[in-house]
Amino acid sequence: MSWWEGVQESRVLVAPDPGTNGNGLGHMILLRHPRSGNATQYLFVNGMLQEFQWFKNLYGSWFLGDYTSEDGRLYLSTPVDPVFIMLPIFEEARMKKGDDLGKFRQLDEILFIDGYPGYQQLTSLVENCMQVVCEVKEVGSIKFFRLDDTKVLRWLCYKVCQLKQTLPKLDKNYAVQSEKDTLVDAVSILGEYLNEEHWLQPLCNHLKLNILEVTGKAQANAEESNPPGLYNVQQSDDKKGTIVKKGRQAKKIKLETESHNIKDMFSRASRRKK
């Protein structure tokens, strides 16, 4: 099955071509959103995990072959660091209680999430990327992982530093605001991917920031960047993900009544010129 099959409405998505540099395969996989825990669709293609963003003009639609798509949004798939996606999974897996550091677990055990088989498709990717925030023990050829709070905080501070340096290059408005405001903006962007209690609060404490100021911006950013309807997924009682459209039911692509086929319109115009 192709990764786009099962989508009931047409959308325009700009994404990497799986046949260009990869193995010709791409998969839409269902994972938990790292902040909200809601079931969310991601694209796994060419060995990279991609999330979905969207952009829309006030008015617009798309010509798709002989038809028009009333949804004029442009959807983009952009790389996301899988460490953000995996933090809550590894946090649960270590079963930390109080001052106890938790347990070491095999990767197969950590990535076995009921109702979310997509995690198991990321095994090789996760094995490489999560070592930066985990303690790793090897017994023979088997690796055991345990999330390390100190390593996570160090990694988050590094991400904040990178983002703080990048923002002024993306938007000249950051050059005229204070260094603290830019720091708050950087942390709020990362806050879209972080559980407040486990990671965002300790990060704010370490950077001496007011978490209320950070979370306010993070919530606004998340609402603006969250693709409406198509890629948000609700869990049914049997824990299986189903793609749903918010607000109204999805409908099949069809020609509007009393409309003309686009090919016919252009062909008539060309005949008149002759």
Side-chain angles (χ1 to χ4, degrees), residues 63-68 253-255 259-264:
F63 288 154
L64 302 176
D66 296 342
Y67 308 100
T68 58
I253 304 172
K254 62 179 181 180
L255 288 171
S259 64
H260 299 283
N261 185 292
I262 293 174
K263 282 185 178 180
D264 292 340

Side-chain angles (χ1 to χ4, degrees), residues 61-97:
S61 56
W62 292 98
F63 288 154
L64 302 176
D66 296 342
Y67 308 100
T68 58
S69 171
E70 64 180 279
D71 186 345
R73 299 180 185 93
L74 174 63
Y75 292 87
L76 305 172
S77 72
T78 56
V80 59
D81 194 322
V83 175
F84 285 112
I85 309 302
M86 294 298 157
L87 275 179
I89 304 302
F90 276 68
E91 169 64 29
E92 293 177 9
R94 65 177 171 173
M95 297 182 285
K96 180 180 178 181
K97 295 181 180 179

Side-chain angles (χ1 to χ4, degrees), residues 183-208:
L183 178 61
V184 170
D185 286 336
V187 176
S188 69
I189 292 174
L190 296 185
E192 298 175 37
Y193 303 91
L194 299 174
N195 178 278
E196 183 175 328
E197 179 184 355
H198 291 145
W199 307 118
L200 188 56
Q201 182 68 69
L203 178 62
C204 289
N205 292 343
H206 181 78
L207 298 174
K208 296 180 173 57

Side-chain angles (χ1 to χ4, degrees), residues 39-41 226-234 242-246:
T40 305
Q41 293 281 1
N226 188 32
L230 180 62
Y231 301 114
N232 295 331
V233 179
Q234 295 178 348
T242 54
I243 301 176
V244 297
K245 171 77 173 175
K246 288 185 178 178

Side-chain angles (χ1 to χ4, degrees), residues 106-176:
Q106 286 183 247
L107 199 56
D108 290 344
E109 293 179 323
I110 297 174
L111 297 182
F112 183 78
I113 310 296
D114 185 30
Y116 294 88
Y119 284 101
Q120 297 172 47
Q121 299 182 42
L122 306 177
T123 300
S124 59
L125 178 66
V126 172
E127 181 177 359
N128 293 326
C129 72
M130 288 304 291
Q131 297 190 44
V132 71
V133 292
C134 289
E135 293 181 70
V136 182
K137 290 185 177 181
E138 294 190 42
V139 179
S141 60
I142 302 176
K143 291 183 179 180
F144 295 84
F145 292 77
R146 183 177 68 187
L147 202 61
D148 185 298
D149 291 350
T150 302
K151 287 187 174 184
V152 173
L153 186 58
R154 187 185 303 127
W155 178 79
L156 288 174
C157 289
Y158 171 73
K159 287 291 186 181
V160 169
C161 183
Q162 276 192 318
L163 194 51
K164 185 181 173 184
Q165 294 174 355
T166 302
L167 287 176
K169 299 176 183 177
L170 300 177
D171 190 338
K172 61 183 180 181
N173 291 327
Y174 286 105
V176 298

Side-chain angles (χ1 to χ4, degrees), residues 213-239:
E213 185 176 8
V214 170
T215 53
K217 287 192 174 184
Q219 181 63 29
N221 291 339
E223 291 176 354
E224 291 176 0
S225 63
N226 188 32
L230 180 62
Y231 301 114
N232 295 331
V233 179
Q234 295 178 348
Q235 291 290 80
S236 58
D237 294 337
D238 60 0
K239 303 296 183 181

